[in-house]
Amino acid sequence: MPQTVTASLIKIITVLHEPDGYIDLILYNPSIAKNAGPGQFVMMKAAPVNDPILPRPFDIVDTFPREGTFRLLIKINGRGTALMNSLKPGDDVFITGPLGKPITDFSFSSCAVLFRGCGAAAVLMFIREAKKRGITVYGIASAASSDKLVCKSEISALCDEYLVATDDGSLGLQALGTEVLKNIVEGEGVDRIYSCGGGPFYLPYLMEVQDRLPVYLFLESYMGCGVGHCHGCAVPKKSRPGDPVQYTLVCQEGPLYKLDEVEDPCQIYQ
Amino acid sequence: MPDLSVTFAGITFKNPVVPASGTWEPLDAPDTGLAMSELGAVVNKTIFKEPRAGNPPPRIWETASGMLNAIGIPSAGADDFIKKKLPKIRKHADKVIVSIAGYTADEFAWLAKKIEQTGMADMIELNLSCPNIESHTSWSTDPALLAQAIVAVKKAVKLPVIAKLSPNVTDIAEMCLVSESSGADALTLVNTFRGMAIDIKVKKPALGNIFGGLSGPAIKPLALYAVYTAYERVKIPIIGMGGIASWQDALEFILAGATLVGIGMYTFVNPLCMRHVISGLSNYCSEQNIEKLSDCIGKAHPAT
Ligand SMILES: Cc1cc2nc3c(=O)[nH]c(=O)nc-3n(C[C@H](O)[C@H](O)[C@H](O)COP(=O)(O)OP(=O)(O)OC[C@H]3O[C@@H](n4cnc5c(N)ncnc54)[C@H](O)[C@@H]3O)c2cc1C
Ligand SMILES: Cc1cc2nc3c(=O)[nH]c(=O)nc-3n(C[C@H](O)[C@H](O)[C@H](O)COP(=O)(O)O)c2cc1C
Ligand code: FES
């Protein structure tokens, strides 16, 4: 039987506006703090208004079961997230979660985790879980510039190696994250690659390298409910030529997919 | 405790709140705390005879106080529904309304009969907004086709039959009359309004299917108009829906003439919306000393 998911007003404990253009929230809900696993997300609606109307999906960055709290990191983007920019400690937001399939497969001994921008939000708990099991983790953070790197201290403290690629060279290598990844794959070597964010920039290399080792993606898609009622988040599964197309619901079977499980991720992976 | 029960096409529902077809999947989605047994009835996502994969993404797009969808009614088909889902819905739900669709009138009738034979449905809802394959127009936008589908189903089954109509017509009350005279026992008003959006970032239609259906608070005044005008013209009872987000919205539909009310996309906004509507209606009746909510049905119309 499916798990029980919290759907209620939840209090915000702290709000940080860093880095610029992001809000970093701690929220109080002991059930989510206790039950959320790596790879899971919540749907959040900041205000009881009808415009914008839909809740927005955000990864659960981290949980603090003893305090009964969890953390979200939100990039201010369009109309819904712009409203969230004015949230203060003590405000209530409507949250449904934890949602999506928690990651439970840790049957490998090393991995490279590539993430760009708020992709960091999806990978922190996953990296911590991998480290608990003694897995060697190479973290590769990529961003436009050094001031856009999020969760830098937390993720670098967890990883065996933490490498940075910036578009402007303000920190680490001035290169695409995939160039740093390539060096690791061809140098030390890893069992698996996990990738979140970066979209079309990362895909050409990921598509190429998946012949050699398994590549996993944290997928994003437009979500209505985030739960499984609307079928809005569907993306096409890889099918053999001539076979009828089948879809997978990202909110239920994802957000993590093996790259060769889904069709044409260039179109859906943003 | 005020009495929220209503009698609809000869069947008594313990309260008037039902999910709009295709917007609440209690068997597939994780449990968010709302039980099937709390609702007046459970309505499934429309099934066809054969499995359907649904439309390519993007399937949804947020609009001002609403959303467009072009989901494409994915389902595993009639056999899977009857074997795996219907028995569980029957076990937990107070009343069961099974939503079906077909590409031909014969298919509608065949599927209705198949559902009736399970003995697990209380009513059948015909989703008449899907296209007829021979004409490529939707059943409920052409009076002759509409009559054809309803007559075929009524010949095949004894269960009460609800015609769910599309609002994309000049005069929906006219289509309600056609449904009534073809033997429909009740009406569901309304399905989504046809619309579209353009994604200016890529200068292309936002939905994979180009066109979609608009739902949510944006359509509430239009849906309410459909229910109010239909109530004036037909005698068969109505399930009113379109943009209901609160008990106040639900009450508007009841006052306009709806016996049951459906909640669709607002379940996406708040998975407990249907529970809030039920408790809100109950509190309203208590505060207003209304003994039976059913006394409110159609009360916005001038007394005759
Ligand atoms: C599983 C998942 C986890 C996510 N985790 C995070 C996170 O931890 N931190 C973070 O900052 N962002 C995250 N995102 C992206 C985030 O949901 C979008 O940035 C946000 O929905 C945009 O809303 P808006 O109001 O700013 O934009 P608007 O343009 O107003 O949004 C309009 C509609 O499009 C949808 N939408 C727009 N952009 C995206 C997108 N990139 N992905 C999915 N839907 C989108 C919105 O949800 C809304 O329904 C995640 C997305 C998914 C699917
Ligand atoms: C995502 C989605 C899926 C839907 N699927 C169906 C369906 O399978 N069958 C059907 O008869 N109506 C379907 N509808 C229409 C709803 O049942 C309802 O008539 C309409 O959305 C208006 O109600 P609302 O504004 O409360 O959503 C769907 C609506 C949405 C938003
Ligand atoms: S977002 Fe509604 S089913 Fe996935």
Side-chain angles (χ1 to χ4, degrees):
Chain A
M1 212 38 209
Q3 71 189 107
T4 301
V5 165
T6 300
S8 72
L9 282 174
I10 287 179
K11 205 162 279 307
I12 295 177
I13 308 293
T14 62
V15 183
L16 286 177
H17 289 266
E18 8 174 286
D20 204 25
Y22 282 84
I23 50 168
D24 194 335
L25 302 175
I26 301 287
L27 301 106
Y28 181 76
N29 186 272
S31 171
I32 295 177
K34 183 165 148 257
N35 295 322
Q40 288 196 289
F41 65 97
V42 297
M43 293 298 281
M44 167 164 148
K45 191 163 161 65
V49 296
N50 279 340
D51 190 23
I53 188 161
L54 290 171
R56 306 295 198 239
F58 299 106
D59 294 296
I60 299 168
V61 181
D62 211 351
T63 56
F64 310 96
R66 245 181 303 159
E67 289 82 11
T69 58
F70 64 98
R71 178 180 174 198
L72 301 178
L73 188 69
I74 296 170
K75 186 175 182 207
I76 307 306
N77 218 328
R79 297 171 65 235
T81 48
L83 267 185
M84 295 172 188
N85 210 7
S86 55
L87 289 171
K88 308 177 299 302
D91 286 351
D92 288 320
V93 288
F94 194 88
I95 295 245
T96 306
L99 301 167
K101 242 188 4 214
I103 301 169
T104 53
D105 172 14
F106 292 96
S107 58
F108 52 96
S109 59
S110 65
C111 68
V113 183
L114 172 64
F115 49 93
R116 185 174 172 93
C118 58
V123 303
L124 195 144
M125 272 176 80
F126 167 70
I127 294 175
R128 170 163 317 123
E129 209 52 42
K131 285 314 302 170
K132 269 193 209 154
R133 290 152 204 258
I135 293 167
T136 303
V137 179
Y138 296 88
I140 305 161
S142 126
S145 55
S146 64
D147 57 328
K148 297 273 187 293
L149 286 167
V150 296
C151 302
K152 187 167 152 231
S153 57
E154 302 91 311
I155 294 182
S156 63
L158 286 170
C159 294
D160 294 272
E161 261 192 72
Y162 177 79
L163 301 141
V164 174
T166 51
D167 301 349
D168 66 356
S170 50
L171 194 72
L173 218 61
Q174 181 168 13
L176 268 183
T178 40
E179 288 178 44
V180 180
L181 175 64
K182 194 171 175 188
N183 292 340
I184 293 172
V185 170
E186 285 172 8
E188 297 91 325
V190 284
D191 295 341
R192 288 187 182 185
I193 293 171
Y194 288 84
S195 176
C196 185
F201 301 117
Y202 288 176
L203 274 161
Y205 177 69
L206 298 178
M207 297 290 269
E208 179 195 316
V209 78
Q210 67 171 334
D211 292 338
R212 281 196 275 159
L213 74 170
V215 176
Y216 291 82
L217 286 183
F218 293 85
L219 276 192
E220 286 187 1
S221 81
Y222 291 114
M223 289 189 175
C225 64
V227 181
H229 295 309
C230 74
H231 291 251
C233 61
V235 300
K237 285 201 259 196
K238 181 76 98 209
S239 58
R240 280 195 299 266
D243 281 359
V245 52
Q246 303 238 321
Y247 293 92
T248 167
L249 298 184
V250 176
C251 74
Q252 286 192 325
E253 294 179 70
L256 187 75
Y257 288 92
K258 196 152 171 275
L259 179 55
D260 61 11
E261 282 175 331
V262 286
E263 197 69 62
D264 198 5
C266 253
Q267 277 185 15
I268 51 178
Y269 179 47
Q270 22 187 327
Chain B
M1 275 293 270
D3 179 5
L4 295 189
S5 71
V6 293
T7 301
F8 179 80
I11 297 173
T12 302
F13 293 75
K14 65 175 181 177
N15 70 57
V17 176
V18 303
S21 173
T23 62
W24 194 58
E25 299 262 16
L27 295 174
D28 296 341
D31 181 7
T32 46
L34 181 71
M36 290 191 234
S37 59
E38 293 177 48
L39 307 172
V42 168
V43 187
N44 64 296
K45 181 165 192 70
T46 303
I47 50 154
F48 283 77
K49 182 178 176 188
E50 303 294 341
R52 283 168 60 94
N55 287 332
R59 289 179 170 186
I60 55 171
W61 190 260
E62 188 181 61
T63 60
S65 300
M67 68 180 264
L68 286 161
N69 89 78
I71 307 290
I73 317 190
S75 89
D79 287 338
D80 183 88
F81 174 76
I82 290 168
K83 226 183 346 202
K84 298 199 190 131
K85 291 194 170 168
L86 188 53
K88 289 188 191 145
I89 297 175
R90 178 74 274 172
K91 182 164 170 233
H92 298 287
D94 215 53
K95 292 285 178 289
V96 179
I97 299 175
V98 174
S99 169
I100 63 166
Y103 298 115
T104 62
D106 284 348
E107 206 175 288
F108 260 113
W110 180 89
L111 193 47
K113 178 128 196 104
K114 185 135 177 142
I115 295 297
E116 182 173 72
Q117 283 166 347
T118 66
M120 290 187 272
D122 296 298
M123 303 184 99
I124 291 175
E125 182 178 80
L126 312 180
N127 177 357
L128 294 155
S129 306
C130 61
N132 163 282
I133 37 173
E134 277 131 36
S135 69
H136 296 286
T137 57
S138 118
W139 294 96
S140 57
T141 54
D142 177 329
L145 282 177
L146 179 61
Q148 199 194 343
I150 296 171
V151 166
V153 171
K154 281 299 290 181
K155 257 196 219 149
V157 298
K158 292 196 183 63
L159 282 179
V161 171
I162 314 166
K164 179 167 180 180
L165 301 185
S166 160
N168 299 304
V169 291
T170 315
D171 182 4
I172 194 160
E174 204 54 47
M175 294 300 182
C176 296
L177 280 170
V178 171
S179 305
E180 184 175 49
S181 62
S182 307
D185 301 282
L187 297 165
T188 297
L189 302 173
V190 294
N191 212 310
T192 53
F193 286 80
R194 221 146 166 66
M196 72 180 295
I198 310 276
D199 182 351
I200 57 170
K201 271 187 248 154
V202 292
K203 303 188 180 74
K204 284 189 183 136
L207 293 172
N209 189 52
I210 303 178
F211 308 118
L214 184 64
S215 60
I219 68 168
K220 199 193 88 185
L222 311 175
L224 201 59
Y225 166 81
V227 170
Y228 188 95
T229 51
Y231 184 80
E232 286 184 332
R233 307 269 296 274
V234 296
K235 292 196 178 62
I236 52 177
I238 300 166
I239 309 183
M241 61 180 66
I244 297 179
S246 63
W247 67 265
Q248 290 94 331
D249 294 338
L251 184 61
E252 280 192 63
F253 275 86
I254 292 168
L255 294 167
T259 302
L260 295 174
V261 285
I263 285 149
M265 83 148 287
Y266 226 79
T267 289
F268 311 157
V269 180
N270 181 341
L272 304 178
C273 177
M274 288 188 274
R275 176 188 294 162
H276 297 323
V277 170
I278 296 166
S279 60
L281 288 171
S282 179
N283 292 342
Y284 165 80
C285 290
S286 299
E287 282 162 20
Q288 301 281 322
N289 290 318
I290 295 168
E291 265 171 46
K292 288 170 69 65
L293 177 65
S294 57
D295 290 341
C296 297
I297 298 167
K299 272 289 167 319
H301 294 263
T304 46

